[in-house]
């Protein structure tokens, strides 16, 4: 069960989250707050543990992005806001998703699917091949900083990611992007999706695989090695989640 609370100074917005949450069997909305300071106090004292917070950004008493920095470290966040301009700051805080009001139940449900996957991956003893991954939709994206610019990248466009020191190369359908970032950051961001780390230096999109040979995966004409320590988990994942003929 995913224990959650909602924080929004608009009662109508809280009402929407309450109604949507009722439709998801493994999501429990324990409380909702219009006062973010009371919500923060509750989170620090709460039992049972709160796994997920639905958090508005523009609130009269406190900005949601400021509040997010004071939440317990392992609390996951889904931002709910009418303002798209804050998306980059949200992703820098490692939020699970960014729901732009008014959002549909289908979009809400997809955010919960992502939360479920990330919470499952963080659970003690979680096996990487047991984690359910989503196929990226056209509206799923991440922000990356490169050449003094912030670029929005559709997750479905990413073919594979290559790490080299402090830099990461994103190979996409639209070209290559160099980012000053470590590979683990991208592994965490893409955890809910159909991506798999097959080497200390490579994360691949399962959707873009052309072929698999012993010790190699080919994507867009590139032969990508499967590291020895990753072979078993990768093979197990394919066997459990993909039909092979």
């Amino acid at each position: 069960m995913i224990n959650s609370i909602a924080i929004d100074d608009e009662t109508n917005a809280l009402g929407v989250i309450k109604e949507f949450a009722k439709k998801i069997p493994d999501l429990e909305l324990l409380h909702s707050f219009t006062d973010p300071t009371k919500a923060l106090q509750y989170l620090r004292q709460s039992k049972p543990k709160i796994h997920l917070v639905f958090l508005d950004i523009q609130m009269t008493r406190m900005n949601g992005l400021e509040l997010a920095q004071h939440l317990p470290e392992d609390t996951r966040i889904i931002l709910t806001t009418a303002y798209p301009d804050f998306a980059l700051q949200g992703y820098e805080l490692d939020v699970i998703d960014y729901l732009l009001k008014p959002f549909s139940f289908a979009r809400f449900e997809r955010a919960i699917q992502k939360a479920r996957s990330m919470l499952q991956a963080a659970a003690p003893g979680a096996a990487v091949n047991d984690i359910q991954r989503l196929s990226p939709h056209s509206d799923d994206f991440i922000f990356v900083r490169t050449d003094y610019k912030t670029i929005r990248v559709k997750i479905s466009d990413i073919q594979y990611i290559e790490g080299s020191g402090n830099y990461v190369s994103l190979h996409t359908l639209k070209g290559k992007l160099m980012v000053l970032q470590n590979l683990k950051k991208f592994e965490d961001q893409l955890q809910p999706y159909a991506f798999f780390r097959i080497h200390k230096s490579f994360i691949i999109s399962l959707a873009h695989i052309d072929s698999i040979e012993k010790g190699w995966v080919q994507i867009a004409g590139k032969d990508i090695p499967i590291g020895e320590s990753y072979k078993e988990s990768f093979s197990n994942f394919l066997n459990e989640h993909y039909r092979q003929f």
Side-chain angles (χ1 to χ4, degrees):
M1 182 66 68
I2 301 173
N3 295 327
S4 68
I5 67 167
I7 309 171
D8 198 310
D9 60 356
E10 297 179 1
T11 56
N12 289 342
L14 289 175
V16 170
I17 294 174
K18 289 178 184 177
E19 288 304 310
F20 286 175
K22 290 177 183 177
K23 299 179 181 180
I24 299 179
D26 64 339
L27 177 65
E28 186 76 26
L29 187 67
L30 297 178
H31 289 283
S32 59
F33 298 88
T34 55
D35 185 339
T37 57
K38 289 183 179 179
L40 186 58
Q41 183 180 9
Y42 173 84
L43 281 168
R44 288 172 173 169
Q45 300 174 351
S46 178
K47 291 182 180 180
K49 176 180 172 57
I50 300 301
H51 307 110
L52 180 64
V53 175
F54 299 96
L55 179 61
D56 186 27
I57 294 179
Q58 293 286 65
M59 296 183 288
T60 53
R61 291 183 175 89
M62 183 184 295
N63 181 282
L65 295 175
E66 296 174 0
L67 176 62
Q69 298 178 51
H70 297 285
L71 296 182
E73 186 175 346
D74 57 349
T75 304
R76 308 306 304 229
I77 301 168
I78 293 177
L79 291 176
T80 61
T81 179
Y83 302 93
D85 299 340
F86 295 102
L88 177 58
Q89 294 98 308
Y91 280 98
E92 288 178 340
L93 289 170
D94 289 332
V95 302
I96 287 177
D97 210 341
Y98 190 99
L99 295 180
L100 191 61
K101 300 175 183 176
F103 46 86
S104 65
F105 174 71
R107 186 67 185 85
F108 178 87
E109 186 178 32
R110 183 161 179 80
I112 301 305
Q113 288 179 312
K114 292 166 68 175
R116 190 180 294 120
S117 177
M118 296 185 80
L119 289 168
Q120 180 187 10
V128 67
N129 51 298
D130 290 335
I131 297 168
Q132 299 296 320
R133 287 171 169 80
L134 308 173
S135 296
H137 282 193
S138 59
D139 59 349
D140 290 327
F141 60 88
I142 59 174
F143 283 100
V144 298
R145 285 182 173 171
T146 179
D147 295 331
Y148 307 103
K149 294 186 296 184
T150 299
I151 300 175
R152 173 172 155 162
V153 180
K154 289 173 60 175
I155 292 176
S156 58
D157 284 350
I158 301 172
Q159 298 167 306
Y160 63 95
I161 306 169
E162 181 178 2
S164 178
N166 294 325
Y167 285 86
V168 166
S169 298
L170 268 70
H171 297 262
T172 78
L173 294 175
K174 296 181 179 179
K176 177 179 173 182
L177 296 171
M178 290 289 294
V179 182
L180 181 59
Q181 189 57 269
N182 61 67
L183 202 60
K184 183 64 168 63
K185 177 76 170 180
F186 283 95
E187 185 178 14
D188 292 341
Q189 278 189 300
L190 298 172
Q191 180 66 68
Y193 300 101
F195 285 78
F196 205 96
R197 189 164 186 169
I198 62 167
H199 188 277
K200 65 179 182 180
S201 300
F202 289 97
I203 298 171
I204 64 167
S205 166
L206 300 175
H208 288 284
I209 293 176
D210 294 323
S211 63
I212 303 174
E213 299 180 24
K214 186 177 180 180
W216 300 90
V217 169
Q218 188 174 84
I219 297 178
K222 167 76 172 181
D223 288 331
I224 302 171
I226 304 172
E228 285 296 328
S229 60
Y230 297 85
K231 283 183 178 179
E232 183 177 0
S233 61
F234 184 50
S235 177
N236 289 342
F237 181 83
L238 292 176
N239 288 335
E240 292 179 18
H241 298 281
Y242 292 87
R243 297 180 63 185
Q244 299 183 45
F245 300 92

